[in-house]
């Protein structure tokens, strides 16, 4: 019996572990090796262990990295601003129809996100159904654009990753015992104080999860910049995609990917540290 | 100082019907005096928690009004009412330390920092939690959590403390210890307690006065002794302690007493208030410990009812005799096991039950 007891955890981890090994560890290792190679598609690549791909990448695309992180940050902040009130309302005020409202909020995301983004493009294009009439009636100047602007890309990113913020925040708020809010009022907290001292701190773990789940993919996104943005809105995802698929510059693309990964990991780590591990990483049990 | 009879909490015709249509409270009239330990006693679902929530301001009455220290508080939100609550589930803030939990109310009221530290420290000492300031609620035992909840409410020096079955989640031994210390704290601080419980023993031992609630109505308000010795209604008689219920026809009425005939030869005298018609059926109750067992018909103005012993239950310090009267009522007789006494009766014996007329009490007929 002790033998099988000791074996059980490993057996349980095995399928997931294998999956990760085959589809995550191996590709990442291959990419890491690729990022330290030199050469081109025609002559082939050689393992040189030169860091040049990294230094070149950062040198050439430094401002693109900054822009990507900036867009990711803006989208994350907008996601919090939109998701928190909605999740709050559903968790505390929607009563028995909670699930219906949540579903309603998520229904657009059943549509392929490329399709959704393309639809945005059609709606927001210069002579489209929104801007066309507005321009015709002189409500906006004739050189007013939405597409190809920072606003368009950030709005698209916000829209794409909104559910990843709504869901964890909703779960955190939904789990919150309403009697704690009553206790706060009983102890002379008005609505603002009850929110700031009880509801907000207890929902922060959800916000933290939401930030990680929106900021990371939003910063690495390339579809929104590709479809809604212009040449001045290029994100690092677009660069990696172009290097890889258009130029066949696999080592450079890999090096850029690893740089992005390192930056995001460092960012998340610092963020977790700044917020304090105690309140965030060990979720309070109600 | 306020006079001892000043009203701390008053309910006047208070009723509450929830939006679901459930009427939890039907027209309560109550006055809790300053400094009093007042208990709301009743079975599950009778509206105790609702009553407390109406006082605290979490619910607004659908009729009637609540007054705190003479001021009508209809529409005053909970955070501006000078009462604090000890919740049945404690509702401690899981993200705050013991210290911060207790300091919560003081911080909201912008009490100076130094004073907060002093008051919280003193309060934690009172409830014997010194040294646990930095713990989180989940790192405490049930009894410790209960004391944090108590300290968190008491430290605000409210004009009335509302407690909703505060000891309900504790085991028996801890509960008895906490009953003693709650009562001690209440006496020391001189605070008004409105204490909800469904445990009649707890209510009897701790309270200055008790309101017995049933189905959203008050059955009786009185001191523990009054409620136990003179239950006003059938419900109060059966809910508080054990009561033997007997019924019979009124044969004569004289000098504030009715004589009730029970069975063929049973004769019970019972004090009555007001006029009682002869020939009317009257229900009355007697406590098990007031009844004596004997072989012969009692004389000397005692009440007497004949019956058959159906069961003898030995309890160590006492013995319970179950007797079925000649009129078919089941009666329990509680008899202390004195030094020399043997069993006075065995199963199947014919016995006479007797007691003082003042120990039986007529019950108000059901409303
Ligand atoms: N928020 C609510 N909405 C609808 N009905 C309620 C609500 N709260 C309580 N009730 C109903 O009101 C009645 C009284 O409930 P209350 O909680 O006051 O009882 P209680 O005396 O405290 O019972 P217990 O001893 O079980 O705690 C019950 O029938 C209950 O189902
Ligand atoms: Mg209750």
């Amino acid at each position: 019996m002790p033998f099988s007891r000791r074996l059980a955890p490993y057996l349980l981890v095995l399928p997931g572990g294998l999956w990760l090994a085959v589809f995550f560890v191996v590709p990442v290792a291959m990419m890491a090796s690729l990022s330290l190679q030199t050469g081109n598609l025609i002559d082939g690549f050689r393992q040189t262990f030169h860091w040049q791909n990294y230094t070149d990448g950062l040198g050439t695309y430094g401002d693109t990295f900054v822009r990507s992180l900036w867009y990711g940050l803006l989208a994350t902040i907008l996601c919090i601003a939109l998701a928190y009130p909605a999740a709050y309302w559903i968790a505390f005020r929607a009563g028995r129809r909670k699930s219906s409202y949540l579903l309603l909020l998520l229904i657009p995301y059943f549509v392929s996100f490329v399709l959704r983004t393309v639809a945005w493009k059609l709606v927001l294009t210069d002579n489209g159904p929104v801007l066309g009439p507005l321009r015709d009636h002189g409500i906006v100047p004739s050189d007013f654009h939405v597409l190809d602007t920072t606003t368009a890309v950030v709005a698209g990113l916000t829209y794409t990753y909104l559910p990843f913020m709504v869901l964890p925040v909703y779960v955190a708020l939904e789990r919150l015992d309403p009697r704690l809010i009553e206790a706060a009022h009983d102890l002379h907290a008005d609505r603002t104080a009850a929110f700031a001292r009880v509801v907000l701190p207890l929902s922060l773990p959800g916000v933290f999860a939401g930030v990680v789940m929106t900021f990371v993919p939003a910063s690495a996104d390339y579809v929104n910049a590709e479809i809604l943005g212009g040449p001045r809105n290029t994100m690092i995802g677009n660069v990696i995609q172009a290097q890889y698929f258009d130029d066949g510059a696999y080592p450079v693309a890999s090096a850029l990917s690893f740089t992005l990964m390192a930056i995001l990991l460092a960012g998340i780590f610092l963020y977790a540290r700044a917020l304090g591990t105690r309140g965030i990483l060990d979720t309070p049990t109600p | 100082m306020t006079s001892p009879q000043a009203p701390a909490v008053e309910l006047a015709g208070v009723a509450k019907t929830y939006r679901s249509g459930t009427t939890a409270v039907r027209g309560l009239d109550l006055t809790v005096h300053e400094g009093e330990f007042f208990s709301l006693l009743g079975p599950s679902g009778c509206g105790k928690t609702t009553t407390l929530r109406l006082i605290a301001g979490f619910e607004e009455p659908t009729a009637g009004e609540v007054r705190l220290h003479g001021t009508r508080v209809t529409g005053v939100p909970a955070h501006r009412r000078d009462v604090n609550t000890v919740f049945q589930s404690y509702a401690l803030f899981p993200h705050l330390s013991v210290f911060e939990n207790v300091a919560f109310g003081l911080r909201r009221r912008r009490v100076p920092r130094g004073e907060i530290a002093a008051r919280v420290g003193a309060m934690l000492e009172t409830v014997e939690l010194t040294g646990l300031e930095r713990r989180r609620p989940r790192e405490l035992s049930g009894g410790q959590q209960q004391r944090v909840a108590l300290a968190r409410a008491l430290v605000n020096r409210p004009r009335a403390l509302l407690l909703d079955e505060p000891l309900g989640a504790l085991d028996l031994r801890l509960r008895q210890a906490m009953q003693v210390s709650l009562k001690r704290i209440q006496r020391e601080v001189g605070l008004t307690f409105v204490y909800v419980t469904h445990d009649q023993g707890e209510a009897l031992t701790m309270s200055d006065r008790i309101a017995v609630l049933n189905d959203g109505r008050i059955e009786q308000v009185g001191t523990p002794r009054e409620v136990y010795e003179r239950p006003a209604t059938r419900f109060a008689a059966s809910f508080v302690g054990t009561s033997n219920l007997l019924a019979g026809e009124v044969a004569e009425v004289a000098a504030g007493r009715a004589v009730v005939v029970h069975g063929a030869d049973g004769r019970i005298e019972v004090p009555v208030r007001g006029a009682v018609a002869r020939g009317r059926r009257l229900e009355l109750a007697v406590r098990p410990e007031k009844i004596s067992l004997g072989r012969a018909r009692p004389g000397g103005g005692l009440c007497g009812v004949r019956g058959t012993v159906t069961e003898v239950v030995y309890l160590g310090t006492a013995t319970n005799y179950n007797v079925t009267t000649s009129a078919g009522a089941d009666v329990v007789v509680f008899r202390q096991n004195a030094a020399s006494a043997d069993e006075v009766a065995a199963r199947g014996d014919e016995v006479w039950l007797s007691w003082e007329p003042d120990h039986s009490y007529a019950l108000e007929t059901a409303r």
Side-chain angles (χ1 to χ4, degrees), chain B residues 16-25 42-53 59 88 164-165 196-198 213:
Chain B
K16 174 71 189 177
T17 303
Y18 284 107
R19 252 186 294 174
S20 65
T22 316
T23 300
V25 169
S44 182
C46 72
K48 306 180 295 289
T49 298
T50 304
T51 307
L52 222 52
R53 292 173 60 81
E59 309 282 356
Q88 179 163 18
D164 193 356
E165 306 205 21
V196 162
T197 181
H198 64 251
L213 257 62

Side-chain angles (χ1 to χ4, degrees), chain A:
Chain A
M1 181 207 78
F3 181 70
S4 60
R5 267 283 167 83
R6 246 177 294 152
L7 214 58
Y10 297 105
L11 287 175
L12 288 173
V13 166
L14 196 64
L18 271 179
W19 182 273
L20 273 180
V22 173
F23 294 104
F24 179 71
V25 178
V26 172
V28 164
M30 282 171 64
M31 295 281 281
S33 133
L34 201 55
S35 73
L36 297 170
Q37 294 181 8
T38 328
N40 56 53
L41 263 184
I42 295 146
D43 305 331
F45 299 104
R46 271 181 315 111
Q47 192 78 52
T48 53
F49 296 105
H50 283 171
W51 288 91
Q52 207 181 350
N53 292 326
Y54 285 87
T55 49
D56 283 0
L58 261 181
T60 318
Y61 300 110
D63 50 350
T64 313
F65 271 112
V66 172
R67 187 185 302 124
S68 299
L69 297 174
W70 175 236
Y71 284 5
L73 185 68
L74 284 178
T76 305
I77 292 169
L78 284 172
C79 277
I80 297 178
L82 292 173
Y84 202 103
Y88 184 94
W89 189 86
I90 295 175
F92 290 121
R93 302 269 185 273
R96 239 177 284 167
R97 280 190 290 271
K98 280 179 190 174
S99 329
S100 320
Y101 284 113
L102 205 59
L103 188 68
L104 219 58
L105 207 65
L106 298 181
I107 274 181
Y109 296 91
F110 287 85
V111 178
S112 145
F113 89 106
V114 177
L115 214 67
R116 258 183 289 130
T117 316
V118 171
W120 269 52
K121 188 184 173 95
L122 293 178
V123 171
L124 296 175
T125 189
D126 288 352
N127 296 308
V130 177
L131 282 189
L134 286 179
R135 280 182 178 189
D136 292 347
H137 294 90
I139 298 172
V140 298
S142 58
D143 60 347
F144 182 86
H145 305 285
V146 173
L147 290 183
D148 296 3
T149 62
T150 300
T151 313
V153 178
V154 171
L157 288 172
T158 306
Y159 184 61
T160 304
Y161 296 104
L162 193 60
F164 298 101
M165 185 65 80
V166 172
L167 287 176
V169 172
Y170 171 77
V171 169
L173 288 171
E174 154 70 29
R175 271 199 341 187
L176 198 149
D177 185 349
R179 283 173 295 193
L180 294 179
I181 304 175
E182 275 184 357
H185 289 312
D186 188 70
L187 294 163
H188 313 301
D190 57 18
R191 279 163 160 271
T192 320
F195 178 77
R197 303 292 164 178
V198 176
V199 178
L200 187 62
L202 286 173
S203 64
L204 275 186
V207 177
F208 174 80
V211 165
V212 174
M213 282 162 64
T214 49
F215 179 68
V216 172
S219 307
D221 185 274
Y222 65 93
V223 174
N224 282 283
E226 175 75 34
I227 298 176
L228 301 174
R232 280 169 299 122
N233 308 117
T234 314
M235 292 175 71
I236 198 65
N238 305 90
V239 174
I240 295 172
Q241 195 244 2
Q243 291 279 352
Y244 209 97
F245 293 105
D246 303 344
D247 304 348
Y250 299 156
V252 177
S254 308
L256 287 172
S257 301
F258 271 97
T259 310
L260 180 65
M261 204 164 102
I263 293 173
L264 290 176
L265 276 176
I268 295 300
F269 179 74
L270 289 177
Y271 171 65
R273 283 290 295 270
L275 278 176
T277 39
R278 193 158 187 188
I280 296 305
L281 295 181
D282 65 345
T283 320
T285 37

